[in-house]
Amino acid sequence: MAKKRKTKKSNFTALILLIIVIAALFLLDYFKVIDIPFEDFIPGATTKPNDKTPVITSGELQIHFLELGNKYTGDCTYIKAGDTDILIDAGSRTSSISTISDYIDQYCTDGTLEYVIVTHAHQDHYAGFAGDSKNASLFTKYECETIIDFALTNQNDTATMYSNYKKQLQDEIDAGATHYTAAEVRESGEYTFTLSDGITLEILDNYYYYNKSSSENNYSVCCMINHGDAHFLFTGDLEADGEKYLVELNDLPQVELYKAGHHGSKTSSSETFLSAIRPKIVCVCCCAGSSEYTNVNENMFPTQAFVDNIAKYTDRVYVTTICTDYKNDNHTSMNGNIVVSSSPEGITVSCSVSDALLKDTDWFKKYRVCPSEWSD
């Protein structure tokens, strides 16, 4: 009898262990399906600071502001409007190309970008389209149906990156892409494109499509995505004098989203401009605190002047990346990849690393003076 009782106890223990194993496997699969790192649920565990786990959203319109995988500030915005894929800019270096394409490939399954917009000829906005001997251009990686780019530039035709861009652009045109400059689009009178049911892309007018500027930034292609009564605004690196003309030449509505001009520089996001668009959400594509362009703290992106101007309208400001040590090439995520989704249920913001507002981050508390509008 004693031997028989021992056998029953052993069988019962084995059954309990089997149930535990099955439950553990189920939980692991569950976390994979909902795209949540399993270690987030283990006390004391941490995730990598540059976790690129994609944000899964279900909005009819999805606007993705990408981290670019290095310490350099740059712009790259991928937009999914129904079944239409749009890419606005592709900075910050040619080394970012694989980071960009790996991200896009999660959502663009047919290898086709219906619309590509190249705002202006600065490396941190168009390097991914130029490519180089080690990194194939995004024009090579994707079939691009319609390409809209800057009408003017101060770049020298023989400059390496600009000449690479022109060659890659021409190759894509020869392969069947339709190409317009922003000036050509506006002059045609057909400057609104239907992306999906109820979603349109509008190329806004800009004085500097037709007139020379000492700043390359002012040549930026400016556009707006309209989803019903919701508006989403992109102005590249347009500076204050260009913003003044943008207000004069276009009937600008209040916008749900504003992609911060010039990475949150003090030369953009002027009061004249902001008072016209009154943004509710602002996304900044930059490496916060990077000394890439200046060693003056208050002028590092996003600048104190930008913060002070934006604070009058909203505290919903998000930033992709932080540069923790420029000299030693160290960077980490602030919000990470930022996704703004618009659907009939409303507009939401989801981030791959943190959903914290800029004002609530440790970086902000250390390096910026909190404006009175953001004080609790």
Side-chain angles (χ1 to χ4, degrees):
M1 292 293 293
K3 187 176 181 180
K4 190 173 182 179
R5 283 198 298 271
K6 184 176 179 180
T7 301
K8 286 183 177 180
K9 184 176 180 179
S10 298
N11 290 340
F12 180 75
T13 300
L15 179 62
I16 293 299
L17 289 173
L18 179 61
I19 292 172
I20 291 171
V21 170
I22 292 172
L25 291 172
F26 172 79
L27 286 172
L28 283 171
D29 284 340
Y30 171 74
F31 290 128
K32 290 178 181 177
V33 168
I34 63 172
D35 202 26
I36 298 176
F38 183 70
E39 58 265 34
D40 282 0
F41 296 85
I42 303 175
T46 59
T47 56
K48 296 179 180 180
N50 282 317
D51 184 12
K52 296 299 190 299
T53 302
V55 178
I56 305 301
T57 57
S58 57
E60 294 180 1
L61 173 67
Q62 301 174 5
I63 301 171
H64 302 244
F65 299 96
L66 274 61
E67 287 203 289
L68 298 170
N70 52 46
K71 66 179 181 180
Y72 304 108
T73 284
D75 264 25
C76 183
T77 306
Y78 166 71
I79 301 169
K80 188 81 171 179
D83 293 328
T84 301
D85 299 280
I86 305 103
L87 185 63
I88 303 177
D89 286 340
S92 55
R93 298 290 191 275
T94 55
S95 60
S96 298
I97 291 173
S98 60
T99 299
I100 295 169
S101 61
D102 287 348
Y103 189 95
I104 290 174
D105 287 348
Q106 298 171 99
Y107 302 93
C108 177
T109 57
D110 62 359
T112 299
L113 298 173
E114 279 76 15
Y115 292 91
V116 167
I117 298 174
V118 189
T119 61
H120 64 293
H122 268 161
Q123 176 175 240
D124 60 332
H125 287 254
Y126 82 138
F129 299 118
D132 58 25
S133 60
K134 295 181 180 178
N135 303 281
S137 164
L138 289 167
F139 286 145
T140 301
K141 289 179 175 285
Y142 298 97
E143 179 182 341
C144 302
E145 293 188 349
T146 300
I147 302 167
I148 302 170
D149 67 358
F150 45 91
L152 297 174
T153 181
N154 297 333
Q155 294 287 346
N156 189 311
D157 285 345
T158 61
T160 300
M161 183 162 288
Y162 185 53
S163 60
N164 284 351
Y165 170 74
K166 290 196 300 178
K167 180 183 182 304
Q168 295 297 330
L169 172 63
Q170 188 59 54
D171 287 347
E172 193 70 6
I173 294 170
D174 292 343
T178 299
H179 169 251
Y180 308 99
T181 68
E184 290 171 338
V185 172
R186 289 297 307 190
E187 289 170 341
S188 74
E190 302 292 333
Y191 46 79
T192 300
F193 302 85
T194 298
L195 304 178
S196 185
D197 290 341
I199 305 176
T200 60
L201 164 67
E202 180 183 357
I203 303 300
L204 301 175
D205 207 1
N206 177 1
Y207 174 83
Y208 290 109
Y209 294 162
Y210 324 99
N211 298 279
K212 295 290 286 184
S213 171
S214 59
S215 171
E216 192 79 30
N217 294 329
N218 275 330
Y219 298 136
S220 293
V221 179
C222 301
C223 66
M224 188 154 55
I225 302 286
N226 305 298
H227 187 196
D229 294 329
H231 309 284
F232 307 83
L233 181 62
F234 308 85
T235 61
D237 279 356
L238 193 69
E239 299 190 349
D241 55 338
E243 291 175 344
K244 176 176 68 72
Y245 287 117
L246 199 68
V247 172
E248 293 175 1
L249 294 172
N250 303 274
D251 184 15
L252 297 177
Q254 180 175 16
V255 301
E256 297 293 332
L257 168 71
Y258 165 50
K259 196 283 298 178
H262 200 190
H263 320 284
S265 167
K266 68 177 183 178
T267 65
S268 300
S269 302
S270 61
E271 175 56 29
T272 297
F273 179 58
L274 292 177
S275 64
I277 65 169
R278 307 179 306 284
K280 297 179 182 179
I281 300 168
V282 179
C283 294
V284 188
C285 298
C286 74
C287 279
S290 168
S291 59
E292 181 178 1
Y293 301 112
T294 180
N295 289 315
V296 179
N297 169 59
E298 67 180 19
N299 292 335
M300 293 176 181
F301 302 147
T303 65
Q304 185 67 52
F306 162 81
V307 168
D308 293 340
N309 287 347
I310 286 290
K312 300 179 182 71
Y313 300 94
T314 185
D315 66 352
R316 298 185 67 188
V317 180
Y318 302 88
V319 177
T320 52
T321 311
I322 304 171
C323 182
T324 54
D325 187 340
Y326 187 81
K327 182 178 179 181
N328 292 308
D329 200 21
N330 293 329
H331 60 93
T332 189
S333 299
M334 185 174 286
N335 294 115
N337 297 310
I338 306 165
V339 182
V340 179
S341 298
S342 176
S343 71
E345 288 71 40
I347 295 171
T348 61
V349 180
S350 301
C351 305
S352 63
V353 174
S354 168
D355 290 337
L357 301 177
L358 172 63
K359 69 172 186 175
D360 296 326
T361 65
D362 291 338
W363 180 88
F364 181 85
K365 293 173 183 178
K366 183 175 181 180
Y367 295 108
R368 291 290 172 262
V369 176
C370 187
S372 59
E373 293 90 345
W374 287 0
S375 299
D376 294 329

